Amino acid sequence: MTNKYDVIIIGAGVIGAAIARELSRYHLDVAVLEKEIDVSFGVSKANSGIIHGGFHAPPDTLKGKLVVPGNRKFDRLCEELDFPFERNGELMVAFSEDEIHTLQFYYDRGKKNNVPYLEIIGKERLLELEPNLNPDVECALYAPSAGVICPYEYCFALIENAKQNEVNVITGEKVIWLEKNGRKFDVKTEKGNKYSARYIVNAAGLFADEIARMVGITNFKIVPRKGEEYLLDRRVGKLVKRVIFPCPTKKSKGMLIIPTVDGPVMVGPTALDIEDKTDFSTTRDGLKTVFNHAQKLVPSIRATDAITSFVGLRPAATSNFSIITKLFSVIKSFAGIKSEYIDGDFILGRTAVSGFINAAGIQSPGLTASPIIAEYISDALLKDGLKLEKNPAFNPTRKRRVKHLRSILEKKDFFEVEKLVKENKKYSNLICRCENVTEAEIVDAIKMGHTTLDGIKFATRAGTGRCQAGFCTTRILDLIHRETGIPVEQITKKGQGSEIVLTPLRKGVV
Amino acid sequence: MKKKVDAVIIGAGPAGMAAAVSLRENGIKNILLVDREPVAGGILQQCIHNGFGVHHFKEELTGPEYAERYIEQINKNKIDLWLDSCVIDIENNSKNSKTVVILSKERGISYITAKVVVLAMGCRERNRGNINIPGRRPAGIMTAGTAQKLVNIYGYLPGREVVILGSGDIGLIMARRMTWEGANVKAVIELQSYPGGLNRNIVQCLNDFNIPLYLSHTISNILGNNRIEAVEVSPLDENFEAIKSESFTLKCDTLLLSVGLIPENELSIKIGVKLDPVTRGACVDKNLMTNIPGIFSCGNVLQVHDLVDFVSEEAKNCGASAAKYINGKLEKSEEIPIRKGNLIRYVLPGKIEKGKPALLSLRPINPAENLYLVITTDTGVELFKRKYKNIFPSVMLRINIDIVPDDAEFIEIKFEK
């Protein structure tokens, strides 16, 4: 049996999810195929969650053009999709004369990118805004329009809303074969399932080059750029209110201090181009680099406050053409040859293969630009001949079905807790004690299809706290088993091969 | 629900139960004992090996048996015990009134007003993130305590080819336990040049099963994408840096971490209890009262003990002090500080009363041989002197000292030749 669709989106990260939701506005049969067991499990899960102000990217790139319009979309999106978003602003801080010149350069760039309310602020005001900054700081570039979100909560919200509007999201479905036959594409997956579609949107993150190659598009390559990040204990508090950037140097963009939307502070990431697309390993050097840099910005940050670390791989695009021309850079500049893509920029839109649309090379500020990227892609589909007929039944609203106990406890609103418990007894059963996650929230996440420990962690924060799931692992295994009937020994951390326990030792347990 | 009691005890592990029983024995009627687990006993319930109670009950018990002795006393004394109940907030209203907010599976939200609060929350295990082991992030890495719960309570084996990082007691116990369940424990890796756990556990859990212990080694990398496949083990130089050129690989499907315990003082911090940076427990006086009048602390949340017997004893004393406080009879004579001298990592309590004898607990910074432990006053009076053939950080020393003379300003405790 072949499943026929108008559009198949490959990849259910933030980009695939935003495109799926955008296309669900129209009368279309859309499917999303995701190779991982859950959505947001690839590049997106390790995103820093920053909605950038938009002064970093050069104005003549897609990044520079899409970042500010993307940023503007988030107020409405957060209202429609009910995910946490805080416009807390970002600061790029300078410590020397040279760095002050750098600020001026980014100020001008930001102005060209139409970043609103951008200003350079002096030492006094800066330290008033952020008293924990290193007192040696001179001044900062301030973009109050920047903000923070939780990348996977955003992705889950987009996917849920797309599903509400009839998009078919299929996880654990790795595309291994793709071919254009006449006016349609035939797709085969690792599980042996077959699909066909008139249009393919390639949002395959780190593997977008491999998907493109299946239809003969070989003009770009994805190079994983590794970033290590460290999460600090919630107890440390909000050391900074805004996202803090150092001035970028020729060598590095520098390490950030990020007050996450969920509360704890995160520091990082490093940036290292690597070969292996599965190398999610942290290193001693990475740890040292991150904390050395972070301490220069906020001296009170301590490596001993780290409760966990993780690695993200940014899918950085390089044009294969430029790899060759780099070797002959002199010839290139004399001959005036321009590579098809600007290295490191997004690769968006139509390709030489009609019906095959790229949404590739999406790294920072991809999260910020994602709502506009989605519109860009739907426009490319239209230009490629897809009829976009508005679906009057489209429902843009997705509501969180459960409240997070943690945010209510933070406000000390115990009456609200009483009310919740009256409505749903499961709110009185605390499962994750570090992050105050209740049975109500976990059961809801399971019902929404998150049946791995990582999936539940991303959906509810259970296990993200200081004990790192030391106490709640067994309780969550119990709940997944109870709600889904999956035998405990088959429950995984993040998909097949990552089971938590082996065979039961005795019968009749749990 | 609103309720008024004399004492709320947070945590119904060995410390909380002993404190509750002691409060009752000292005439306090209205006690509420709260625990977040569905059964009382705390971590004892998953410690099914024996060796508990030798000092306290003069017989060898398993963890659950030890817990049961106290549960019986809780029941006999009709002490109110709320299970599946989590303290979510504490407020210090005044010297004799604290409000404790409890979220309970059965009762929902309750507001309890109490004259005293006893903190007995125990500790949690240090995890991978706390010690920043580099490498990949596959499944199959967990703390020894989580593995213990999976095997002993849930009946599941976490893996078959096991490496253990850290030679803390739980790690050693789990080396033996996993071996008994058919797993192959390949090595225990210890950062320090000496073991972290008790000597008897090294002998009974490692040596008896020919499990190698690598001292002055660490895990310098973790391999495997979905499930852990191997660890890279490196010897350490004197600056604790891995000597990568001498590293070797051990294949495994499970890595257990037994790298230390952290007192769970999150609630204590919330109400402003002052913590000691070394023990990470509360700073307490001789009565085990914290800097906040009416808030007491005992057991592993105060200091990590070697034996549960000592937890029970400490909690008993704590309960007695708390009872005196409730009755307004907790007299306080003048206190003087204790200074840490040579080789002393920490000593508890930090202050003692003049004119009274005291029980001190302490640990040395590193292992050493043939030293005297000497306690003197600033006026030159020797309060205690004893020779130790061997001292280890893993072995807590408990010292009874004589009455401190009235003219002393402080006392000093140190090891010397």
Side-chain angles (χ1 to χ4, degrees):
Chain A
M1 196 193 90
T2 303
N3 304 294
K4 287 185 185 152
Y5 292 95
D6 295 317
V7 184
I8 284 178
I9 301 163
I10 301 173
V14 159
I15 297 301
I19 296 167
R21 193 236 179 192
E22 184 60 30
L23 294 183
S24 73
R25 294 173 189 275
Y26 305 102
H27 273 304
L28 293 171
D29 286 328
V30 179
V32 185
L33 305 184
E34 168 56 51
K35 77 175 168 60
E36 298 293 331
I37 194 169
D38 205 340
V39 305
S40 192
F41 263 34
V43 174
S44 298
K45 77 172 174 188
N47 187 289
S48 303
I50 303 167
I51 301 306
H52 289 276
F55 54 72
H56 276 99
D60 56 349
T61 58
L62 281 169
K63 285 180 168 184
K65 286 180 187 128
L66 302 184
V67 59
V68 173
N71 176 307
R72 282 199 201 111
K73 291 262 174 191
F74 270 87
D75 298 291
R76 182 163 172 194
L77 264 178
C78 128
E79 212 165 278
E80 286 179 343
L81 299 176
D82 195 17
F83 59 87
F85 168 51
E86 204 186 324
R87 254 187 219 288
N88 54 338
E90 64 191 4
L91 290 160
M92 185 194 273
V93 296
F95 288 91
S96 65
E97 266 315 298
D98 276 359
E99 291 194 340
I100 294 171
H101 286 299
T102 311
L103 286 193
Q104 190 61 48
F105 172 81
Y106 282 100
Y107 174 82
D108 295 341
R109 183 176 268 189
K111 280 287 165 196
K112 278 183 203 148
N113 288 349
N114 296 319
V115 179
Y117 313 113
L118 193 63
E119 59 176 324
I120 291 180
I121 59 172
K123 182 171 186 151
E124 203 176 322
R125 178 147 170 243
L126 178 56
L127 288 174
E128 214 170 274
L129 291 178
E130 297 294 351
N132 291 325
L133 278 184
N134 185 342
D136 294 339
V137 66
E138 291 294 336
C139 57
L141 179 59
Y142 181 28
S145 61
V148 283
I149 63 168
C150 167
Y152 23 88
E153 237 186 294
Y154 170 55
C155 187
F156 293 159
L158 288 165
I159 287 288
E160 281 175 27
N161 189 232
K163 279 179 169 175
Q164 274 170 270
N165 291 299
E166 312 288 320
V167 170
N168 204 359
V169 179
I170 305 148
T171 54
E173 197 71 311
K174 182 180 177 184
V175 173
I176 52 164
W177 188 81
L178 183 61
E179 191 180 56
K180 187 156 191 196
N181 285 319
R183 296 184 60 183
K184 68 174 176 51
F185 292 87
D186 289 321
V187 181
K188 273 188 211 160
T189 65
E190 201 171 52
K191 283 183 185 161
N193 296 327
K194 289 177 183 169
Y195 299 86
S196 80
R198 289 190 298 135
Y199 294 87
I200 298 287
V201 175
N202 176 17
L206 282 172
F207 304 90
D209 52 350
E210 291 165 37
I211 295 292
R213 217 173 298 143
M214 291 180 191
V215 290
I217 296 170
T218 55
N219 57 355
F220 71 94
K221 191 182 162 200
I222 299 292
V223 178
R225 183 168 298 154
K226 184 169 162 177
E228 295 184 31
E229 293 201 83
Y230 292 80
L231 187 72
L232 306 185
D233 194 318
R234 188 181 282 285
R235 169 172 33 84
V236 176
K238 283 213 169 183
L239 293 169
V240 290
K241 293 186 198 77
R242 295 156 192 83
V243 179
I244 312 292
F245 288 83
C247 276
T249 62
K250 271 182 191 150
K251 270 192 190 155
S252 142
K253 223 174 100 182
M255 310 300 146
L256 284 54
I257 319 257
I258 307 155
T260 64
V261 79
D262 298 301
V265 167
M266 197 159 71
V267 291
T270 55
L272 182 69
D273 284 345
I274 57 170
E275 288 287 315
D276 182 356
K277 288 177 177 177
T278 65
D279 179 8
F280 290 92
S281 61
T282 51
T283 60
R284 273 280 158 228
D285 286 348
L287 169 82
K288 280 183 193 157
T289 314
V290 166
F291 281 93
N292 283 345
H293 278 76
Q295 276 160 355
K296 200 196 161 195
L297 300 175
V298 176
S300 60
I301 283 178
R302 302 257 171 278
T304 46
D305 287 323
I307 57 168
T308 188
S309 57
F310 58 91
V311 164
L313 298 181
R314 312 166 180 92
T318 17
S319 104
N320 274 342
F321 187 68
S322 87
I323 295 171
I324 304 160
T325 51
K326 250 181 210 160
L327 302 169
F328 305 100
S329 57
V330 183
I331 304 169
K332 184 185 166 189
S333 58
F334 273 103
I337 304 166
K338 264 179 94 181
S339 67
E340 198 178 338
Y341 306 117
I342 300 168
D343 266 4
D345 202 4
F346 302 152
I347 297 177
L348 295 181
R350 300 166 71 184
T351 62
V353 180
S354 121
F356 187 89
I357 308 289
N358 271 326
I362 317 283
Q363 46 164 331
S364 174
L367 182 75
T368 315
S370 58
I372 291 291
I373 291 175
E375 290 180 13
Y376 195 105
I377 296 302
S378 93
D379 198 46
L381 286 163
L382 180 72
K383 284 181 183 144
D384 235 4
L386 179 67
K387 245 195 223 157
L388 297 181
E389 194 189 318
K390 286 237 178 211
N391 174 11
F394 172 72
N395 175 9
T397 319
R398 169 263 186 188
K399 280 269 163 254
R400 258 187 285 178
R401 297 153 309 278
V402 287
K403 290 192 171 158
H404 293 312
L405 183 75
R406 178 177 50 81
S407 50
I408 302 166
L409 289 184
E410 269 164 16
K411 285 181 252 156
K412 292 207 173 200
D413 188 354
F414 303 126
F415 292 111
E416 175 73 19
V417 181
E418 270 179 69
K419 230 177 74 190
L420 282 179
V421 173
K422 250 182 220 146
E423 283 165 21
N424 181 355
K425 195 100 203 294
K426 294 189 171 79
Y427 272 111
S428 63
N429 187 16
L430 213 50
I431 302 292
C432 163
R433 48 165 93 168
C434 303
E435 290 290 308
N436 289 323
V437 185
T438 65
E439 184 184 340
E441 293 150 77
I442 290 170
V443 167
D444 175 72
I446 296 169
K447 287 194 172 144
M448 290 315 290
H450 307 295
T451 54
T452 62
L453 287 192
D454 275 2
I456 286 178
K457 179 167 87 178
F458 296 143
T460 67
R461 293 192 63 77
T464 63
R466 56 181 68 90
C467 92
Q468 286 291 299
F471 287 114
C472 65
T473 296
T474 48
R475 292 175 165 217
I476 294 172
L477 290 175
D478 263 356
L479 289 178
I480 297 176
H481 171 70
R482 188 189 80 193
E483 295 294 316
T484 64
I486 301 173
V488 173
E489 65 271 24
Q490 285 173 25
I491 300 172
T492 65
K493 180 179 190 302
K494 52 184 179 182
Q496 211 182 356
S498 66
E499 287 74 15
I500 310 299
V501 296
L502 304 176
T503 45
L505 295 167
R506 288 167 283 277
K507 280 201 168 155
V509 289
V510 178
Chain B
M1 192 221 274
K2 282 189 179 147
K3 194 176 157 83
K4 243 181 156 167
V5 299
D6 291 322
V8 169
I9 300 152
I10 306 172
M17 290 197 291
V21 171
S22 165
L23 272 156
R24 172 58 47 89
E25 283 169 352
N26 283 280
I28 305 301
K29 296 238 157 57
N30 211 347
I31 303 167
L32 175 60
L33 180 57
V34 192
D35 198 278
R36 42 190 165 197
E37 292 297 317
V39 281
I43 299 301
L44 281 174
Q45 295 290 7
Q46 67 187 55
C47 300
I48 62 169
H49 53 284
N50 62 357
F52 300 92
V54 180
H55 297 257
H56 196 74
F57 292 112
K58 310 288 175 221
E59 57 183 307
E60 261 198 73
L61 305 172
T62 64
E65 283 170 346
Y66 192 102
E68 200 51 42
R69 297 273 171 114
Y70 273 96
I71 294 170
E72 276 165 19
Q73 293 187 57
I74 297 288
N75 292 339
K76 202 180 77 198
N77 284 300
K78 296 201 169 63
I79 292 168
D80 207 2
L81 169 65
W82 287 12
L83 296 168
D84 283 317
S85 301
C86 213
V87 173
I88 53 175
D89 199 44
I90 311 184
E91 219 147 313
N92 180 29
N93 311 321
S94 70
K95 208 170 151 279
N96 281 313
S97 164
K98 334 279 169 201
T99 305
V100 180
V101 187
I102 299 171
L103 181 61
S104 156
K105 195 170 168 184
E106 215 175 291
R107 299 171 180 83
I109 289 261
S110 305
Y111 305 86
I112 313 294
T113 315
K115 287 178 190 155
V116 308
V117 172
V118 177
L119 306 171
M121 293 89 77
C123 42
R124 66 171 180 271
E125 296 172 280
R126 249 197 203 98
N127 56 56
R128 178 180 179 183
N130 301 134
I131 55 169
N132 286 308
I133 311 170
R136 302 208 176 193
R137 319 193 53 75
I141 304 168
M142 62 184 79
T143 62
T146 302
Q148 189 176 45
K149 193 168 185 181
L150 281 169
V151 174
N152 292 348
I153 307 274
Y154 285 76
Y156 285 97
L157 193 63
R160 295 199 186 286
E161 301 285 312
V162 183
V163 172
I164 299 175
L165 176 64
S167 56
D169 287 314
I170 314 173
L172 300 175
I173 295 288
M174 281 314 289
R176 177 175 67 183
R177 188 76 188 92
M178 298 284 284
T179 307
W180 276 340
E181 290 295 354
N184 174 17
V185 179
K186 296 196 152 174
V188 175
I189 315 289
E190 171 59 53
L191 189 78
Q192 301 289 350
S193 55
Y194 51 88
L198 297 173
N199 191 47
R200 72 167 194 216
N201 285 333
I202 299 283
V203 174
Q204 294 171 9
C205 301
L206 299 188
N207 300 355
D208 286 0
F209 298 90
N210 295 321
I211 297 169
L213 169 64
Y214 292 89
L215 297 172
S216 298
H217 278 67
T218 194
I219 289 180
S220 48
N221 201 2
I222 290 172
L223 310 169
N225 288 336
N226 290 321
R227 180 89 193 182
I228 185 169
E229 285 160 15
V231 291
E232 181 193 81
V233 181
S234 300
L236 294 165
D237 64 19
E238 58 276 18
N239 301 316
F240 288 93
E241 293 288 338
I243 308 168
K244 281 269 198 177
S245 57
E246 291 174 34
S247 64
F248 57 97
T249 305
L250 288 176
K251 286 197 169 172
C252 61
D253 63 11
T254 305
L255 171 63
L256 300 187
L257 305 175
S258 177
V259 289
L261 300 171
I262 305 174
E264 275 243 290
N265 270 305
E266 269 53 54
L267 273 173
S268 326
I269 295 169
K270 223 177 193 174
I271 26 166
V273 167
K274 217 177 117 200
L275 300 190
D276 179 318
V278 176
T279 60
R280 297 180 78 161
C283 297
V284 290
D285 62 16
K286 186 211 123 191
N287 299 311
L288 303 179
M289 188 161 83
T290 66
N291 59 309
I292 302 178
I295 295 187
F296 293 79
S297 177
C298 60
N300 279 0
V301 77
L302 176 62
Q303 58 173 335
V304 178
H305 291 75
D306 305 337
L307 300 177
V308 67
D309 307 67
F310 300 151
V311 168
S312 299
E313 190 187 330
E314 185 176 272
K316 188 180 173 189
N317 293 339
C318 183
S321 311
K324 278 187 195 157
Y325 184 91
I326 293 167
N327 294 326
K329 285 181 183 153
L330 192 68
E331 87 285 12
K332 232 179 169 184
S333 45
E334 205 189 332
E335 285 181 324
I336 56 167
I338 306 178
R339 292 197 181 167
K340 292 186 284 184
N342 183 39
L343 273 183
I344 304 290
R345 193 166 98 88
Y346 79 82
V347 55
L348 256 166
K351 288 175 183 168
I352 53 170
E353 285 176 281
K354 284 185 183 177
K356 295 252 170 71
L359 170 68
L360 306 181
S361 342
L362 63 109
R363 287 182 196 271
I365 289 172
N366 52 40
E369 289 174 354
N370 296 321
L371 290 176
Y372 287 94
L373 178 66
V374 186
I375 304 175
T376 49
T377 66
D378 59 317
T379 50
V381 180
E382 195 174 274
L383 297 170
F384 181 89
K385 185 171 185 177
R386 186 188 291 165
K387 190 175 178 184
Y388 288 87
K389 227 177 136 196
N390 287 295
I391 53 169
F392 295 99
S394 60
V395 180
M396 182 199 280
L397 301 178
R398 292 151 46 85
I399 311 292
N400 280 300
I401 57 167
D402 295 340
I403 289 171
V404 181
D406 275 346
D407 59 344
E409 300 268 321
F410 65 86
I411 64 169
E412 193 187 15
I413 178 161
K414 64 182 174 199
F415 285 101
E416 59 182 33
K417 287 260 176 211

